[in-house]
Amino acid sequence: MSSEDVVGKSTGETTVNTIVNNLAEEAKLATQGVKAPGHAILSVCKSLVAGGVAGGVSRTAVAPLERLKILLQVQNPHNIKYNGTIQGLKYIWNTEGFRGLFKGNGTNCARIVPNSAVKFYSYEQAASGILWLYQRQTGNEDAELTPVLRLGAGACAGIIAMSATYPMDMVRGRITVQTSKSPHQYTGMFHALSTIYRHEGFRALYKGWLPSVIGVVPYVGLNFAVYESLKDWMVKTNPYRIVENNELSVTMRLACGAAAGTVGQTVAYPLDVIRRRMQMTGWKGASASIVTGDGKNKGLVEYNGMIDAFRKTVRNEGFGALYKGLVPNSVKVVPSIALAFVSYEIVKDILGVEMKISA
């Protein structure tokens, strides 16, 4: 055998050994819970997809109630056309037909899909980071997230998701409340974005951002904290023997989501009303059936900020105005939040993504 054959054979063996060693190392990392870069990226994408699907499913299911809630929030007290949920839905059906019940839902889904994707993923990352810091601080590697820590992780996720998609929420509000008499007939999300930008400036796209961010802290924070804490409590205590193999049924997870949504929206609802009203200001010549009055005139109220909006709303319409639309919103939130959480977990399970949300 020539020296060249020996060198070639040695080189070939080295190459094979390198490949085998790399595969073995990757398999070892996998068993230790460390994922290769490509796998990690795929996992992130799957998590984002699961969050987006969860948001789209949950919001479309309750779109008529979502629209009614917004209409009630900004309805002129001098020109009230409906007071209750059933009456309001009938009015929309009679004046705008079936499509009127879903007006703005396309824009809402265009907003909520990325919002939900970012929110769920941000929560997982924030929860993991907070848990890591908590374990280091306490010196207990087996420590778990407390309800307060989950609240903090949910608040971080809510702020990130809200800020990233706020202009689309602003536009969705305008499209939802517009009627045939509205001064601007927005034909879609991008048309509304460009129209508001041209006529009212870039800052108009973030009207009501502050109360939104303040409101999202208790809302999203409580949603995650209550949902995850209830799930953990049920798995650990197994009341009435409802848990099998440390897994909750879909029905019980829906119940946990419903409880979480009810608590979160009740606490944060007044801030949602103020946000919506601030978004409507600057819409010059808007229909009198949409804008609010100042108690003396039927003209558009101008707000100088969040505190001013609270003060004028309570002074002109009473404290109860801060909870306008609460009933349809409550009916909406219960299935919406429940469907969002359960859809997210089911889609992640289908895609084969490891659950991190209860870390």
Side-chain angles (χ1 to χ4, degrees):
M1 182 181 294
S2 66
S3 61
E4 290 183 358
D5 291 336
V6 173
V7 171
K9 182 177 180 181
S10 176
T11 302
E13 290 178 349
T14 301
T15 302
V16 171
N17 288 335
T18 300
I19 295 173
V20 170
N21 289 335
N22 287 340
L23 290 173
E25 183 65 23
E26 194 164 320
K28 181 180 179 182
L29 291 174
T31 60
Q32 295 175 347
V34 180
K35 297 180 176 62
H39 186 93
I41 293 173
L42 181 60
S43 180
V44 170
C45 292
K46 287 181 178 180
S47 294
L48 291 173
V49 168
V53 170
V57 169
S58 63
R59 286 310 175 94
T60 301
V62 296
L65 290 168
E66 175 71 11
R67 187 182 182 215
L68 177 60
K69 180 203 75 171
I70 296 175
L71 291 175
L72 287 170
Q73 285 179 337
V74 301
Q75 185 175 219
N76 191 333
H78 301 288
N79 190 19
I80 295 176
K81 292 183 172 62
Y82 39 82
N83 289 312
T85 303
I86 302 300
Q87 185 182 10
L89 291 174
K90 285 183 177 179
Y91 179 84
I92 296 173
W93 177 276
N94 293 332
T95 56
E96 302 180 57
F98 177 78
R99 293 184 63 182
L101 295 172
F102 290 86
K103 181 178 288 186
N105 185 56
T107 304
N108 193 23
C109 286
R111 175 191 70 90
I112 201 62
V113 166
N115 179 282
S116 182
V118 172
K119 180 174 65 180
F120 277 101
Y121 181 72
S122 297
Y123 174 77
E124 290 188 347
Q125 299 307 307
S128 297
I130 290 173
L131 179 59
W132 183 83
L133 291 173
Y134 182 61
Q135 290 174 339
R136 297 298 178 277
Q137 184 179 16
T138 59
N140 181 9
E141 294 296 327
D142 297 324
E144 297 181 355
L145 286 174
T146 65
V148 174
L149 294 179
R150 287 194 179 101
L151 179 66
C156 291
I159 292 172
I160 293 172
M162 171 64 73
S163 300
T165 60
Y166 190 80
M168 287 186 283
D169 180 69
M170 164 68 174
V171 164
R172 191 263 301 205
R174 290 285 183 92
I175 291 177
T176 298
V177 303
Q178 78 174 355
T179 66
S180 59
K181 297 180 181 179
S182 298
H184 294 299
Q185 291 297 312
Y186 302 125
T187 58
M189 181 178 68
F190 294 108
H191 177 249
L193 282 170
S194 61
T195 301
I196 293 172
Y197 176 76
R198 287 198 312 270
H199 291 274
E200 302 173 47
F202 177 78
R203 292 183 62 182
L205 295 174
Y206 282 88
K207 281 183 177 179
W209 177 83
L210 181 59
S212 298
V213 169
I214 295 175
V216 86
V217 169
Y219 180 64
V220 178
L222 284 170
N223 281 344
F224 279 107
V226 173
Y227 180 74
E228 294 298 329
S229 297
L230 273 177
K231 279 177 55 185
D232 281 356
W233 176 78
M234 286 185 175
V235 170
K236 291 176 181 178
T237 62
N238 194 11
Y240 307 109
R241 300 184 183 276
I242 57 178
V243 180
E244 295 182 3
N245 300 322
N246 291 327
E247 288 289 335
L248 288 178
S249 65
V250 172
T251 301
M252 294 312 302
R253 281 185 282 173
L254 284 171
C256 291
T262 300
V263 174
Q265 67 97 28
T266 301
V267 172
Y269 192 78
L271 286 159
D272 187 52
V273 172
I274 294 303
R275 169 188 62 149
R276 198 65 64 191
R277 292 194 171 203
M278 291 179 70
Q279 288 178 345
M280 297 304 114
T281 60
W283 199 3
K284 301 300 183 182
S287 170
S289 65
I290 298 300
V291 299
T292 60
D294 62 4
K296 298 178 181 179
N297 304 306
K298 295 184 179 180
L300 180 67
V301 173
E302 292 291 342
Y303 302 123
N304 296 319
M306 183 182 69
I307 303 301
D308 184 53
F310 266 109
R311 181 175 58 84
K312 287 180 178 178
T313 299
V314 174
R315 184 187 65 195
N316 299 331
E317 303 172 53
F319 183 79
L322 296 176
Y323 286 90
K324 280 186 172 180
L326 179 62
V327 173
N329 191 62
S330 298
V331 176
K332 170 187 75 73
V333 161
V334 170
S336 178
I337 298 298
L339 282 171
F341 277 117
V342 176
S343 298
Y344 177 71
E345 294 185 349
I346 290 175
V347 173
K348 286 193 73 173
D349 186 52
I350 292 173
L351 294 177
V353 182
E354 179 185 355
M355 293 291 182
K356 300 177 184 178
I357 200 167
S358 298

